[in-house]
Amino acid sequence: MAVYNLKINGQTKQVDVDPATPILWVLREHLDMPGTKYGCGVAMCGACTVHLNGVAVRSCQLPVVAVGNKEITTIEGLSENGDHPVQKAWLEHDVAQCGYCQTGQIMTAAALLKANPHPTEAQIDTAMSGNVCRCGTYVRIREAIQSAAKQQ
Amino acid sequence: MENNTTNHSRRSFLKSSLLAGGGLMISFSGLAKFNFDGKTTVVNGSEEWSEVTGYIKITPDNLIKILNPNPEFGQNVMTSLPMIIAEELDVDWQKIMVEMGPHDNMKLGPQFTGGSNSVRMYWKPLREAGAAARNMLMQAAAQTWAVPVEEITTKAGTLYHEKSGKSGTYGAFASKASAIAIPKGVKLKDIRSFNTVRNSKKNVEGQKIVTGKPLFGMDHTQEGMLIAMIEHPHAFGMKLKSFDATETLKMPGIKDVFSMKLYEDGFEQAGFDTRTFNDLLVVVGNTTWEVMNARKKLKVIWEPIAERKETIAGFRGKNEVTIPAGLESTTTQLAKMTALAKQPAKQLRRDGDPETAFKNAAHILERTYTAPFLAHNCMEPMNFFAHVTEEKALLVGPHQAPGWIEPTVSKILNLPPDKIEIQMTRMGGGFGLRAYGHYVIEAALISKKVKAPIKLVYSREDDMTYGIYRPMYMATYRAALDANKNLIAFHVKGGGIPEHAVHPNRFPAGTVDNYLAEGWEIPSNITIGAFRAPGSNFNAASEQSFLDELAEFAGKDPIDFRLALLKRGKENPVGKNNEYDADRYAGVLNLVKEKSGWNAPENKKYSRGVAAYFCHNSYAAHVVDMVKKDGQPYVERVFSALDCGVVINPDAAINMVQGAVVDGIGNALYGGLTHKDGAAEQNNFNRYRMIRMKEAPKTIEVHFVENNIDPTGLGEPPFPPVFGAVANALHKNMGKRFYNQPFSKDFATK
């Protein structure tokens, strides 16, 4: 076990955990931030996506020891009032079905638009294809990202 | 067709009660367990809202809350079911609150999500509940104002008496209304005057979903809660022999390791108590990560199972099932199926004289289709919270049918049902898998054993390799044609491990003079269960693909070919038990033909595939437009036509159909779980291929047949025909027919 001071959503959070503990579980079980989801544990579904210095990463493969001073952003901190353009677009297009994968989808989409404010459809498809949705909401996710891109 | 008055004499039951602090609550039971006495119940004491259950809650300050009775797994009943109540209650949708109801079958009806039944089974009772509540409020206002109730009108949560100019909110009369006996025979609204239902409403939980609020079972936590995981055999046909947990117990955060039985010997299972592995090796610790790690240190010796018999008391009575021993492999299973497909099978339906027709046929077309086991792969792996003590049990988590599992929990824990509280969380998918109760029982037993609140968590690998899959299927279709290539006989012989998918009374049964349906089955120790449109999801692939090939062979347009059969089925049906309505079936085909521009020259550039199917009381047809992208077949557009009667929430219904289309394309092209010596060869998404965004169509255009027929299901019906439409488009795109799912495994050989 070791103590880490993590920068999460603009705050410093202290945890005392095994160095190998993935940020996914640090968030969910040590910091009471369950918006980041466990889906596969092998970085193949994207449900656990968070931002590390603004870049989308799979938190199930990110051990706490590797974070250092980098800034983590989770769905809880993506916007103050749940009104990030991507979140608003998700509501406008009423994307969710079961909703379990959607926070990961939103985090991937938000990182994409930050890096590339006006992505082509092919760029959206490439960026989003690491996120699985069994309900099959991809068509609406794509439309929501295009809407969010327009509003930026 | 529509009975447009409230009716308390049969299944539906309404009662009202005074909320703590005053207010009206109307609740309903879909179970005919007790008689309606027309009296109200007054609840005194607590001021807490949460202590009162039912569909409608109104406070004196006119807060109106509607409770959704049914488990939510993404079909959006949290929105659509309250919309039905709001419609008849006559309230402003923007001003009401919606929340998940408690699990209470006596008050809230059957409370199960499955078989595309949610809207279908709640349509009438929820309309009645809304209408009865509105009527009681009207009576309360009429009494207060000393005017005839007939002169009272309502609009958006307010009562009016036009002559006197009086008005008041529902809240102002809620307390008084709750003391009024439930009225009988209240007239329901004319469907044509609806202004909430049939208008798109956003998902009431949308904001919570996009901000990551703890809605799911996996998110549930409680002070002192431990995490439990189960190490199950890595192969079907194996069981626990012994284990050494010495190293595991040395790992940080680990509290306990033990083995226990799920069911005691001879336990009579209910229909959804499916078990795959009865000996549980349980690791309990502080956190999921710690338990996951500690499991790797277990030293376990597994041993082969012996053949056993299980007694299952399902909906259709008691049944003894033999579970064979042995380690099964996909290759040997396929060989067994191929052999058995040639043997005599059980007759399921016969019309005319199919043998003679085949003997006299000018042409015979015969094709065989296969499909693999499919894992459900709900994005939220199975999990459940349990806190069981000697006196009571609290169970919280994602389940499609808590009322089906509660009696089993009661038996196993030896607690009466009223000491068992099940709270329904939002489910991260279900697709049929969450109708089965093993993980709820497991959680309860583990909590009882460790005397602490626990959350049982399945890893993705646990989830994918546990079983309860869509069965493995094979079906041979034969058609006899006369010299003019008219269809004179049709024969389907379907088999499966461990059950076949044949629905003998569905199209094209009823449209062909000589018809034979047969089924055969091979027992297995690999467990299976409902998977989005059970049976239908294979039938619509094989049958609709066969009909396409048959039409091509006969030189006919595939839609016109089906329409001609349906015309026969309507005008002069063969046999008596035909399940479908030929008109409605033809309706979706005609609609998709029109909307897709089936014959338009500009669409010739696409490899077009069509399919239609009837299941779960609804009708669906798709036209799939395929192109080549990066050298691979890609479904670029889809046109869908649905007939599910009245559509409650149109945009959400479109979403459901779009999702079913994507899910169907994914499973048809990529889905499949194979086994070697009993072990699943795919245990996570690195090996089990799921459809991803780059493979999803650019557009899916959804159209509904507009009618005023009572609504039927939508979660399942659009799914099965996608498989057939994809198969038929592939034929055009790749220049050959695809008979074996998943279709993409044959792309490389092309």
Side-chain angles (χ1 to χ4, degrees):
Chain A
M1 304 294 262
V3 173
Y4 297 91
N5 290 298
L6 300 168
K7 288 186 195 166
I8 302 176
N9 299 334
Q11 295 180 324
T12 301
K13 304 269 189 184
Q14 192 173 82
V15 290
D16 183 5
V17 294
D18 183 283
T21 311
I23 286 298
L24 166 67
W25 297 110
V26 173
L27 292 168
R28 291 187 57 81
E29 297 193 325
H30 297 274
L31 295 172
D32 194 23
M33 298 170 78
T36 305
K37 302 300 184 201
Y38 167 70
C40 71
V42 295
M44 289 301 291
C45 80
C48 67
T49 305
V50 300
H51 297 172
L52 192 65
N53 279 355
V55 177
V57 296
R58 309 301 183 220
S59 66
C60 73
Q61 296 299 305
L62 178 65
V64 63
V65 68
V67 173
N69 262 334
K70 297 192 185 87
E71 298 262 359
I72 294 168
T73 307
T74 72
I75 189 71
E76 289 90 350
L78 183 64
S79 61
E80 277 212 4
N81 302 307
D83 55 358
H84 184 281
V86 171
Q87 288 169 313
K88 281 161 71 177
W90 243 250
L91 296 176
E92 180 197 331
H93 290 270
D94 217 6
V95 170
Q97 286 187 32
C98 88
Y100 191 80
C101 75
Q102 298 297 349
T103 49
Q105 304 273 6
I106 288 168
M107 294 308 283
T108 304
L112 165 68
L113 293 184
K114 194 173 179 190
N116 180 2
H118 299 287
T120 63
E121 198 169 277
Q123 287 170 332
I124 293 173
D125 282 5
T126 301
M128 299 305 298
S129 282
N131 288 71
V132 174
C133 173
R134 163 80 215 264
C135 299
T137 61
Y138 299 127
V139 174
R140 284 181 184 230
I141 291 174
R142 200 189 280 130
E143 287 169 357
I145 294 171
Q146 287 163 338
S147 284
K150 276 184 202 144
Q151 280 160 18
Q152 282 185 335
Chain B
M1 184 175 295
E2 185 200 2
N3 177 358
N4 63 349
T5 59
T6 55
N7 177 0
H8 306 298
S9 63
R10 41 184 204 97
R11 291 180 63 217
S12 63
F13 174 89
L14 287 156
K15 69 174 184 176
S16 70
S17 64
L18 196 65
L19 281 177
L24 175 67
M25 180 195 81
I26 294 273
S27 64
F28 143 88
S29 171
L31 305 176
K33 290 260 171 78
F34 45 97
N35 295 321
F36 174 65
D37 61 10
K39 287 178 190 162
T40 57
T41 309
V42 179
V43 180
N44 289 316
S46 171
E47 296 289 321
E48 296 286 324
W49 274 77
S50 59
E51 297 215 356
V52 186
T53 63
Y55 290 126
I56 302 163
K57 297 180 181 182
I58 306 173
T59 66
D61 47 352
N62 209 34
L63 290 174
I64 299 172
K65 190 185 278 185
I66 297 180
L67 300 193
N68 164 43
N70 236 28
E72 170 65 82
F73 70 175
Q75 82 281 46
N76 208 2
V77 282
M78 276 293 285
T79 309
S80 58
L81 294 184
M83 281 173 72
I84 297 170
I85 296 174
E87 180 68 66
E88 295 285 351
L89 182 61
D90 194 7
V91 288
D92 181 352
W93 178 255
Q94 297 306 322
K95 290 184 183 161
I96 60 147
M97 294 177 285
V98 169
E99 67 181 41
M100 186 70 212
H103 179 240
D104 186 341
N105 291 158
M106 300 305 267
K107 278 186 173 160
L108 294 181
Q111 298 193 283
F112 78 88
T113 284
S116 301
N117 270 315
S118 295
V119 164
R120 181 171 171 245
M121 73 185 175
Y122 275 108
W123 166 248
K124 187 95 191 301
L126 296 189
R127 290 183 70 191
E128 289 175 358
R134 175 175 170 270
N135 179 275
M136 291 156 77
L137 290 157
M138 288 163 66
Q139 288 190 55
Q143 286 172 19
T144 305
W145 296 333
V147 299
V149 68
E150 293 75 22
E151 294 178 4
I152 303 286
T153 58
T154 63
K155 193 178 180 190
T158 302
L159 297 138
Y160 296 92
H161 184 248
E162 203 178 323
K163 280 187 196 164
S164 65
K166 285 180 173 146
S167 69
T169 65
Y170 280 8
F173 296 96
S175 179
K176 186 164 189 161
S178 71
I180 292 170
I182 297 287
K184 294 184 181 179
V186 177
K187 196 166 167 45
L188 299 178
K189 270 189 168 180
D190 184 335
I191 289 176
R192 286 163 296 192
S193 71
F194 279 180
N195 53 36
T196 298
V197 166
R198 289 185 149 168
N199 291 277
S200 294
K201 305 294 179 197
K202 301 285 189 203
N203 186 332
V204 295
E205 296 209 290
Q207 186 70 29
K208 289 178 187 165
I209 289 168
V210 303
T211 52
K213 294 289 181 291
L215 296 169
F216 301 93
M218 206 64 134
D219 304 335
H220 186 77
T221 187
Q222 187 176 307
E223 190 65 33
M225 181 183 86
L226 299 171
I227 298 294
M229 297 186 86
I230 296 169
E231 186 78 8
H232 66 243
H234 296 197
F236 296 95
M238 300 294 280
K239 68 182 174 71
L240 181 65
K241 184 179 183 189
S242 62
F243 67 96
D244 174 358
T246 314
E247 295 303 313
T248 303
L249 286 162
K250 286 181 192 162
M251 294 289 283
I254 298 306
K255 298 283 188 187
D256 204 355
V257 179
F258 54 88
S259 67
M260 65 193 307
K261 276 188 190 301
L262 175 61
Y263 303 121
E264 293 301 329
D265 294 341
F267 180 80
E268 185 179 296
Q269 292 170 229
F272 283 80
D273 288 349
T274 299
R275 59 171 135 175
T276 302
F277 304 109
N278 202 53
D279 298 299
L280 313 176
L281 175 51
V282 183
V283 181
V284 180
N286 288 328
T287 67
T288 309
W289 174 248
E290 287 168 322
V291 176
M292 279 179 171
N293 269 332
R295 281 175 66 185
K296 294 175 191 160
K297 304 283 183 186
L298 285 168
K299 290 181 183 135
V300 192
I301 297 173
W302 310 102
E303 64 180 345
I305 61 166
E307 181 182 292
R308 70 173 191 274
K309 292 191 190 309
E310 286 178 9
T311 306
I312 298 173
F315 295 138
R316 294 184 188 91
K318 214 176 277 189
N319 198 8
E320 193 173 80
V321 185
T322 301
I323 310 295
L327 303 178
E328 300 175 32
S329 297
T330 302
T331 46
T332 48
Q333 285 168 329
L334 268 173
K336 266 193 199 175
M337 293 175 100
T338 306
L340 202 58
K342 296 185 176 72
Q343 301 299 313
K346 184 182 177 187
Q347 180 179 304
L348 305 170
R349 170 166 169 157
R350 169 187 291 271
D351 296 311
D353 183 355
E355 286 80 7
T356 303
F358 273 97
K359 203 159 69 184
N360 297 335
H363 310 277
I364 292 176
L365 193 69
E366 177 179 325
R367 295 290 182 265
T368 295
Y369 302 81
T370 66
F373 290 110
L374 291 176
H376 292 75
N377 295 335
C378 306
M379 292 310 297
E380 180 193 22
M382 298 305 106
N383 67 86
F384 228 82
F385 169 89
H387 189 192
V388 176
T389 65
E390 291 299 320
E391 295 79 35
K392 61 182 181 175
L394 172 64
L395 303 163
V396 185
H399 200 267
Q400 288 177 226
W404 297 352
I405 195 64
E406 192 181 64
T408 306
V409 174
S410 173
K411 260 195 273 181
I412 287 199
L413 297 180
N414 198 23
L415 285 173
D418 65 348
K419 298 293 179 193
I420 298 165
E421 180 183 353
I422 304 180
Q423 292 177 11
M424 298 175 283
T425 61
R426 190 177 184 86
M427 288 175 268
F431 306 102
L433 182 58
R434 284 195 158 99
Y436 300 88
H438 59 95
Y439 57 98
V440 187
I441 308 293
E442 289 164 354
L445 286 171
I446 294 167
S447 173
K448 188 175 181 179
K449 171 84 163 58
V450 301
K451 297 184 167 44
I454 64 105
K455 183 166 66 187
L456 172 67
V457 174
Y458 276 38
S459 68
R460 174 57 58 194
E461 291 83 358
D462 296 335
D463 189 283
M464 201 180 287
T465 59
Y466 181 89
I468 315 193
Y469 305 123
R470 195 282 301 271
M472 189 173 172
Y473 291 128
M474 177 178 278
T476 301
Y477 286 80
R478 293 165 70 225
L481 299 99
D482 65 16
N484 296 320
K485 294 189 176 173
N486 294 308
L487 180 62
I488 54 170
F490 193 92
H491 176 203
V492 53
K493 186 173 176 183
I497 299 177
E499 62 183 35
H500 68 73
V502 179
H503 287 292
N505 298 317
R506 291 202 185 149
F507 181 77
T511 70
V512 191
D513 288 317
N514 305 294
Y515 176 91
L516 178 62
E518 300 175 289
W520 49 267
E521 297 177 334
I522 298 174
S524 172
N525 53 42
I526 298 173
T527 50
I528 58 99
F531 181 109
R532 196 173 201 171
S536 303
N537 59 43
F538 177 62
N539 295 332
S542 50
E543 162 212 299
Q544 288 293 309
S545 185
F546 185 67
L547 289 177
D548 197 74
E549 193 164 355
L550 200 50
E552 185 189 33
F553 182 76
K556 288 172 184 158
D557 174 86
I559 294 181
D560 294 343
F561 177 69
R562 289 170 172 83
L563 290 173
L565 289 173
L566 287 161
K567 187 165 183 281
R568 163 72 203 274
K570 188 201 172 188
E571 290 171 355
N572 182 22
V574 182
K576 280 180 183 159
N577 299 318
N578 304 319
E579 288 178 22
Y580 59 94
D581 178 320
D583 260 347
R584 294 180 75 187
Y585 203 126
V588 291
L589 274 165
N590 281 318
L591 185 61
V592 85
K593 183 179 179 181
E594 175 204 331
K595 297 296 182 184
S596 69
W598 179 247
N599 291 318
E602 66 267 26
N603 292 325
K604 296 269 187 248
K605 62 185 173 187
Y606 293 104
S607 310
R608 311 199 95 183
V610 66
Y613 201 69
F614 160 80
C615 72
H616 297 89
N617 307 290
S618 297
Y619 301 79
H622 305 290
V623 167
V624 157
D625 283 347
M626 198 177 270
V627 296
K628 279 261 171 37
K629 185 167 90 170
D630 305 327
Q632 293 288 308
Y634 166 64
V635 178
E636 188 172 281
R637 316 190 291 197
V638 179
F639 296 88
S640 304
L642 275 295
D643 182 352
C644 57
V646 172
V647 178
I648 309 300
N649 190 7
D651 186 56
I654 290 169
N655 194 358
M656 178 63 70
V657 177
Q658 290 173 327
V661 167
V662 172
D663 193 17
I665 295 169
N667 277 294
L669 293 180
Y670 314 121
L673 196 84
T674 56
H675 296 89
K676 189 159 194 301
D677 298 329
E681 294 184 294
Q682 300 77 25
N683 69 358
N684 206 322
F685 298 136
N686 50 357
R687 291 203 175 164
Y688 197 110
R689 187 167 171 189
M690 305 287 283
I691 188 168
R692 290 169 186 271
M693 189 186 282
K694 63 178 188 289
E695 293 133 1
K698 290 187 194 301
T699 59
I700 301 169
E701 203 180 295
V702 181
H703 300 274
F704 292 96
V705 173
E706 286 184 26
N707 58 40
N708 292 325
I709 299 170
D710 285 352
T712 48
L714 196 56
E716 287 161 307
F719 182 64
V722 179
F723 290 73
V726 167
N728 298 338
L730 275 174
H731 167 237
K732 301 268 179 60
N733 194 265
M734 306 284 277
K736 66 165 189 171
R737 293 275 173 187
F738 287 73
Y739 302 101
N740 303 303
Q741 296 175 41
F743 300 132
S744 73
K745 75 175 186 231
D746 292 333
F747 288 174
T749 60
K750 192 54 202 160

